[in-house]
Amino acid sequence: LLRSCRNGRTPEVFGPRAATAWANTASAALSDSAQDGLPVAHVHVPDSPESVRRAMRQLFDTPVDSFVAHNIEIPPPFDVLREANSRSQTLLPNSSAIPTRLPIFDYEHAALLPGEETTFRFFEPRYKRLVEASTSSENGADGWFLLRMRLPYYSILARIVEHEKLPNGDYAVHVAAGPRASVLVEDGEAVAAGAPRLAWAVEYELKGDGVPEDSADYGIPKRYGDLHGMRRGCIDLLLDATTITNLASVSMPPLDPEAFSFWALRFVLGDADVSARMKWLACRSTSRRLLFVIDLLESFAESRNVSTRLDGTRFDDESHKSSGD
């Protein structure tokens, strides 16, 4: 497990099952502290490789009786390991393990962020050919293809993690999204008479945010200091807005600010927000994505506070009137 998360540096490889088990265990420990009369704060979300390793150790050291007492379901470690290895392969691919040619799925009605998963049903001849080419054991494709959402924007390196050929010949595929990519040179393959050709990327490159950002050049608010400070501030706002279990239903939060920015976007963008998703996939500024999330969460917190104050005012007025009557 330590090897799969690079000794704690990439906790995002631990998906919903493992992350939820951690969140429930940490929450139970806080609940026990409250019963003992100790001060209770938010669950501490790991913010360093060392704290990731401590969180893992906590799960292994927690007595089984404690899990039973708090009704916490702990997934089998080998299931967690398989999931972590699969997610690591998708999110943090080794370039030498990816084929030099990749089939392209042109689809502009959905935009997957890195780490997200979805299911497609392929019925067009060219995309049925994509599934067969991507999952063939002969060329070592291992499920890889490119999801191209709109030509001016980046593509996403995606991987078919499960697929099934349906009785009518269509394919149902479960897809996991990896890093962004850009198609540099492409070719086409005829698959059936009169049918659209399947596009192939014969040259492509994985894309990131580029040069590191600092507060002077990118307007990072002084109260955060740097991108890691923005990450911590964003987590605090998320914990104020929702539960740690809800956050864990996505995965463990990444430590890397760029990866974290896409993880955080999943809590403020809906699946139907295709244009906004494409915009932030094309953006090469981690701080801009984080500021977008922080601004939305701060606005939500403020509106909730205003609503609470108004509710309190109405309650006081009604109580006053009731006393007067």
Side-chain angles (χ1 to χ4, degrees):
L1 287 170
L2 283 171
R3 188 180 300 114
S4 69
C5 70
R6 303 186 180 185
N7 206 30
R9 296 194 301 275
T10 57
E12 62 268 29
V13 303
F14 297 120
R17 294 184 69 193
T20 300
W22 161 76
N24 288 336
T25 303
S27 298
L30 284 184
S31 176
D32 291 342
S33 297
Q35 292 177 9
D36 293 337
L38 299 175
V40 176
H42 284 314
V43 170
H44 173 69
V45 176
D47 56 7
S48 68
E50 293 77 14
S51 57
V52 171
R53 295 194 293 269
R54 284 197 299 271
M56 294 173 64
R57 174 56 61 187
Q58 180 185 22
L59 278 175
F60 278 94
D61 286 347
T62 301
V64 174
D65 291 347
S66 179
F67 294 135
V68 175
H70 291 283
N71 197 28
I72 298 173
E73 180 183 354
I74 297 297
F78 282 105
D79 289 353
V80 173
L81 180 60
R82 279 190 289 271
E83 180 185 53
N85 285 337
S86 177
R87 288 177 58 85
S88 177
Q89 183 179 0
T90 303
L91 293 170
L92 308 160
N94 186 333
S95 58
S96 63
I98 307 172
T100 55
R101 296 178 72 250
L102 289 174
I104 300 172
F105 176 34
D106 283 310
Y107 190 68
E108 62 178 38
H109 301 294
L112 294 182
L113 302 176
E116 286 189 307
E117 299 183 9
T118 193
T119 300
F120 292 116
R121 179 167 177 162
F122 290 144
F123 55 88
E124 287 190 54
R126 56 177 169 168
Y127 296 134
K128 291 196 284 187
R129 166 62 182 147
L130 177 149
V131 176
E132 294 163 357
S134 298
T135 58
S136 171
S137 57
E138 296 180 1
N139 57 12
D142 206 18
W144 294 110
F145 70 98
L146 289 172
L147 172 59
R148 185 164 59 184
M149 292 156 284
R150 198 172 290 168
L151 287 177
Y153 294 88
Y154 291 150
S155 301
I156 284 288
L157 179 65
R159 194 165 70 89
I160 297 173
V161 293
E162 291 182 8
H163 71 285
E164 177 187 6
K165 190 169 186 177
L166 304 176
N168 65 352
D170 294 350
Y171 281 101
V173 298
H174 189 72
V175 172
R180 294 170 290 173
S182 179
V183 177
L184 304 178
V185 181
E186 65 180 272
D187 197 356
E189 174 189 353
V191 293
R197 296 163 65 88
L198 172 63
W200 283 81
V202 295
E203 188 177 343
Y204 61 91
E205 62 180 0
L206 301 185
K207 306 290 284 189
D209 279 347
V211 298
E213 303 173 45
D214 58 45
S215 56
D217 294 335
Y218 291 87
I220 296 176
K222 290 184 178 179
R223 66 182 184 275
Y224 296 121
D226 58 19
L227 292 176
H228 292 281
M230 294 184 73
R231 176 190 180 275
R232 288 190 294 271
C234 191
I235 283 182
D236 288 341
L237 288 167
L238 284 167
L239 288 172
D240 285 337
T242 187
T243 65
I244 185 64
T245 304
N246 190 36
L247 299 185
S249 68
V250 170
S251 73
M252 292 290 286
L255 299 182
D256 174 73
E258 179 179 336
F260 176 83
S261 68
F262 286 112
W263 180 89
L265 279 172
R266 296 171 65 177
F267 295 97
V268 298
L269 294 180
D271 293 342
D273 295 331
V274 177
S275 295
R277 285 167 166 262
M278 289 181 177
K279 169 186 173 180
W280 294 115
L281 283 167
C283 173
R284 298 196 66 187
S285 169
T286 299
S287 63
R288 286 185 60 198
R289 283 192 299 272
L290 288 175
L291 279 173
F292 171 74
V293 175
I294 288 171
D295 285 345
L296 284 179
L297 292 173
E298 288 180 339
S299 297
F300 172 75
E302 178 60 26
S303 65
R304 186 175 58 181
N305 291 337
V306 169
S307 177
T308 300
R309 291 196 296 271
L310 291 175
D311 288 343
T313 301
R314 286 195 295 270
F315 177 81
D316 290 342
D317 288 345
E318 290 169 1
S319 298
H320 179 72
K321 290 178 182 177
S322 176
S323 300
D325 293 339

